[in-house]
Amino acid sequence: MTPALLEIADLRVTYRSASGEVPALRGIDLTIEAGQKVGIAGESGCGKSTLALSLLRLLPRGARATGRICFEGEDILTMGWGRLRAVRWSEASIVFQGAMHSLNPVRQVGSQVLEPILLHEEVEQAEARARVSRLFEDVGLAASTAHAYPHQLSGGQRQRVMIAMALACSPRLVVADEPTSALDVMVQAQILRLVDRLVTGQGIGLVLISHDLSVLTSTCDRVAVMYAGRIVEEGPAAEVFAAPRHPYTAALVAAYPRIGDETARGKPGGLAGDPPDPQRLPAGCSFRPLCPVAVAECERLDPPLWPAGAGRQAACIHLRPSDVR
Amino acid sequence: MSAAQLAELRHTFALDKPVVVQFGDYLLRLAHGDLGVSFQYRTPVLRLILEHLGATVYLVGTATLLAAALGLWLGARTAWRRGGAADRANTAIALTLWSVPTFWLGLILIVVFAVGVGPIPGLFPTGGISAPGVTGIFPVVADRLAHLVLPCLTLVAVLYAQYLLIMRSSLLDEMGEDYLTTARAKGLRDTEVLRRHAVPNALLPTVTLVFLQLGTVVSGAVLVEAVFSWPGLGSLFYQALTVPDLPLLQGLFLFFSASVIVMNLLAELLCPLLDPRVRTG
């Protein structure tokens, strides 16, 4: 049996700060098969971006990651620097959020797309340049855009450049961290269709990180919902959002108004408080203080992911199998 | 000196006219590129300045190039490894040298390396720009370089801290930027991320400041030139002060101010070449 494209097991990340260790990820388990499109949902501060950065070991100094991130059977967290540099971009690449700052402001965008090609592959300059032109056409940009500087492009164009750059070395996995959050709605839809088309067409695995559930349902096969550094629910995208099994997912879904739904328009749902301070997590289930269906036992038990229907899991005490005490 | 001679001198330098008229005359001649005549040398001030300019450019130009190269290189290194032992040691040494009085450092270097202390022989000349009676291309070049070492070393030691600090702080500003994460994600080595992405961005504010600095360097070498009897603008200025040779001083002040303004202009012209955002903006 070939190993999964990406297999994350018990991934924990803590940041060192002046006031002590701050846990950002608290035991993430997630498997992505080749060509699969997986969405990661959750609100700001739940650890989505930390997860994206840790996949290529890009966390800032002062962050410590433990667990396993197996990429095609090799553990990213323990591989040597040389091997890691070779894996970066040529096998897994990232589309960062806010392409305004993710592109070097003083270099032409074409040369920035060219850079990883020349770095990872032994090709002639001319051939690599021709490939950059093709990449630009693939993402719907004129080949002449390659000579532009980032500040001369619109937000949508810059994000297209980022996508062209991410695909430059034909990776097996693309991680897109909020690729559309800085764009207006029309451009968002274009960019998402573009990512979807390119990734599906080339059989590339996709991790799409977003706080926007509609973005995830329209693009992804499966989604994982994160809360306070853990995955609280996981399953097929459409089912998870149509019939959430975890009360946090339910609250997240309720917070989005739906077209044609009169009650949601008058009274959008939401939570009565903020997520917990990662340095002072409540005992037991971290969602308990905000949970509408909490029971006394939630204070003692931090539930793991339990089966919650076909191909689905959720971490809630109400889903405890009868054989678990 | 007789009263008649004094009166004649006053008349020669037009000192017998009212001050307002003297100033008007000065401005009028200035407009024609005439800076007046030195009391002390009885030569046109402009010619004196041009005669001494070469020596100053030779010394200060060399020192500035070396100081900038050393400072920028060390600044980039210390910022990349900020907080480490090398960062703290380098910054401390640079700041100490910057705080040392220039003339004192020059004198110490003369005592140690030109006069000789204990086992150290006198390696370099104590002052001047060249020794008399040296002929042939190679001996002359060697002689010129030997005379350059100590004053140049003094200037570099005092100047490089500014370049180090400027580069260090501009690079630290860039360190948190997202495009550096992109560069690392592409699989570049840390040194390549630094050289190809971080430094070109950090150089932009640095270049402006270096050029502003260059303008003041011409006048800033007065103390070093005086200590090392270097026949440049600084020594000229120093001698003019002791007389005091007012037309010469005035001419030098004008020249120093002009060089600051010209360097500012150069910085303005250079920025668009380095930063595409300024070009279209």
Side-chain angles (χ1 to χ4, degrees):
Chain A
M1 190 187 132
T2 54
L5 178 63
L6 187 71
E7 195 180 345
I8 304 170
D10 197 31
L11 176 64
R12 288 164 195 275
V13 173
T14 50
Y15 289 109
R16 243 196 338 264
S17 80
S19 52
E21 303 248 306
V22 184
L25 295 181
R26 303 182 297 131
I28 299 282
D29 296 284
L30 190 67
T31 303
I32 295 160
E33 302 293 340
Q36 207 173 34
K37 290 173 282 185
V38 174
I40 310 271
E43 61 200 318
S44 308
C46 72
K48 300 182 307 246
S49 292
T50 299
L51 179 61
L53 289 178
S54 58
L55 291 184
L56 281 181
R57 231 162 90 187
L58 290 167
L59 293 169
R61 252 178 274 170
R64 210 183 61 237
T66 60
R68 268 188 310 127
I69 303 175
C70 283
F71 184 80
E72 295 182 322
E74 278 180 282
D75 190 351
I76 298 268
L77 291 181
T78 56
M79 68 174 51
W81 277 108
R83 178 71 192 133
L84 179 67
R85 278 200 303 271
V87 168
R88 282 178 178 174
W89 222 262
S90 68
E91 314 219 357
S93 60
I94 304 189
V95 176
F96 288 100
Q97 59 180 326
M100 178 77 221
H101 304 288
S102 298
L103 294 169
N104 189 332
V106 301
R107 287 182 56 181
Q108 296 178 355
V109 291
S111 85
Q112 298 189 49
V113 176
L114 186 70
E115 188 173 35
I117 300 178
L118 293 177
L119 185 71
H120 289 289
E121 294 168 36
E122 294 194 3
V123 289
E124 297 290 320
Q125 273 270 352
E127 194 191 326
R129 281 184 194 285
R131 213 158 95 196
V132 170
S133 299
R134 275 202 305 280
L135 284 163
F136 271 70
E137 278 161 30
D138 283 347
V139 298
L141 291 172
S144 60
T145 316
H147 299 293
Y149 290 93
H151 71 275
Q152 296 167 323
L153 303 177
S154 70
Q157 286 173 316
R158 278 196 292 265
Q159 203 53 275
R160 284 170 194 268
V161 171
M162 274 306 286
I163 293 166
M165 194 152 91
L167 297 174
C169 298
S170 313
R172 308 270 297 128
L173 177 73
V174 170
V175 181
D177 184 5
E178 305 253 15
T180 59
S181 61
L183 306 173
D184 63 60
V185 182
M186 294 301 286
V187 183
Q188 273 190 17
Q190 292 170 5
I191 296 287
L192 281 172
R193 273 201 301 275
L194 176 69
V195 170
D196 198 15
R197 177 168 61 82
L198 294 173
V199 163
T200 312
Q202 301 177 26
I204 299 170
L206 174 73
V207 175
L208 179 61
I209 295 175
S210 179
H211 58 266
D212 190 335
L213 302 185
S214 57
V215 162
L216 296 179
T217 21
S218 63
T219 314
C220 298
D221 309 321
R222 282 168 55 226
V223 290
V225 179
M226 284 182 69
Y227 184 77
R230 288 192 56 187
I231 291 176
V232 293
E233 178 159 4
E234 201 246 304
E239 291 175 36
V240 167
F241 294 131
R245 302 302 303 271
H246 192 281
Y248 173 66
T249 317
L252 203 59
V253 171
Y256 279 86
R258 253 175 264 195
I259 293 170
D261 185 342
E262 290 296 324
T263 48
R265 190 166 73 187
K267 189 167 73 61
L271 289 168
D274 293 327
D277 177 352
Q279 276 189 286
R280 271 178 292 279
L281 288 172
C285 175
S286 52
F287 187 57
R288 178 184 52 79
L290 300 177
C291 183
V293 295
V295 294
E297 211 189 337
C298 295
E299 225 167 299
R300 294 189 299 278
L301 180 78
D302 195 5
L305 283 168
W306 277 313
R312 299 183 59 178
Q313 313 179 74
C316 180
I317 200 160
H318 298 295
L319 296 166
R320 177 162 53 179
S322 52
D323 55 341
V324 175
R325 290 258 352 114
Chain B
M1 192 177 281
S2 71
Q5 277 176 311
L6 270 176
E8 198 199 319
L9 269 177
R10 286 209 174 90
H11 183 72
T12 317
F13 288 102
L15 295 175
D16 49 355
K17 292 184 187 166
V19 175
V20 180
V21 177
Q22 286 185 46
F23 185 60
D25 284 349
Y26 181 77
L27 288 183
L28 197 65
R29 275 182 281 127
L30 192 61
H32 292 89
D34 181 1
L35 290 175
V37 175
S38 156
F39 289 165
Q40 187 188 3
Y41 298 96
R42 303 282 178 100
T43 7
V45 168
L46 190 62
R47 208 166 86 205
L48 281 171
I49 290 177
L50 291 179
E51 273 171 16
H52 289 76
L53 183 61
T56 292
V57 169
Y58 171 49
L59 169 62
V60 177
T62 313
T64 306
L65 279 180
L66 290 177
L70 179 71
L72 298 184
W73 179 68
L74 281 176
R77 283 189 53 127
T78 53
W80 198 249
R81 299 257 170 267
R82 67 190 176 288
D87 175 21
R88 270 172 301 182
N90 264 313
T91 314
I93 293 170
L95 281 175
T96 309
L97 286 171
W98 192 20
S99 318
V100 163
T102 317
F103 62 90
W104 180 81
L105 185 64
L107 288 173
I108 294 294
L109 287 178
I110 289 178
V111 168
V112 176
F113 293 109
V115 178
V117 172
I120 305 174
L123 291 170
F124 299 104
T126 52
I129 192 169
S130 57
V134 182
T135 50
I137 291 178
F138 291 111
V140 164
V141 169
D143 175 60
R144 285 296 184 106
L145 286 178
H147 280 84
L148 182 66
V149 171
L150 291 185
C152 188
L153 197 64
T154 312
L155 271 178
V156 169
V158 176
L159 289 176
Y160 87 96
Q162 316 176 52
Y163 302 112
L164 185 153
L165 293 177
I166 291 167
M167 187 62 184
R168 183 174 179 276
S169 71
S170 352
L171 197 55
L172 283 181
D173 284 344
E174 297 296 327
M175 298 285 277
E177 293 293 332
D178 290 339
Y179 67 82
L180 293 183
T181 309
T182 309
R184 285 197 297 142
K186 283 177 177 175
L188 291 170
R189 289 167 189 277
D190 272 4
T191 49
E192 290 167 329
V193 173
L194 177 69
R195 205 184 64 239
R196 292 196 203 171
H197 291 276
V199 168
N201 275 281
L203 266 181
L204 303 172
T206 308
V207 164
T208 316
L209 287 163
V210 165
F211 270 85
L212 297 190
Q213 185 54 40
L214 269 181
T216 60
V217 144
V218 180
S219 51
V222 171
L223 290 171
V224 174
E225 291 195 3
V227 168
F228 286 96
S229 322
W230 193 264
L233 291 177
S235 293
L236 194 64
F237 185 77
Y238 181 72
Q239 280 157 23
L241 262 182
T242 49
V243 171
D245 188 343
L246 293 177
L248 184 51
L249 280 176
Q250 213 162 0
L252 282 167
F253 278 135
L254 266 174
F255 186 79
F256 293 157
S257 319
S259 64
V260 171
I261 293 168
V262 168
M263 286 303 166
N264 279 351
L265 183 67
L266 275 182
E268 294 284 334
L269 293 175
L270 195 66
C271 261
L273 294 181
L274 290 170
D275 191 343
R277 285 164 298 183
V278 182
R279 230 174 285 161
T280 44

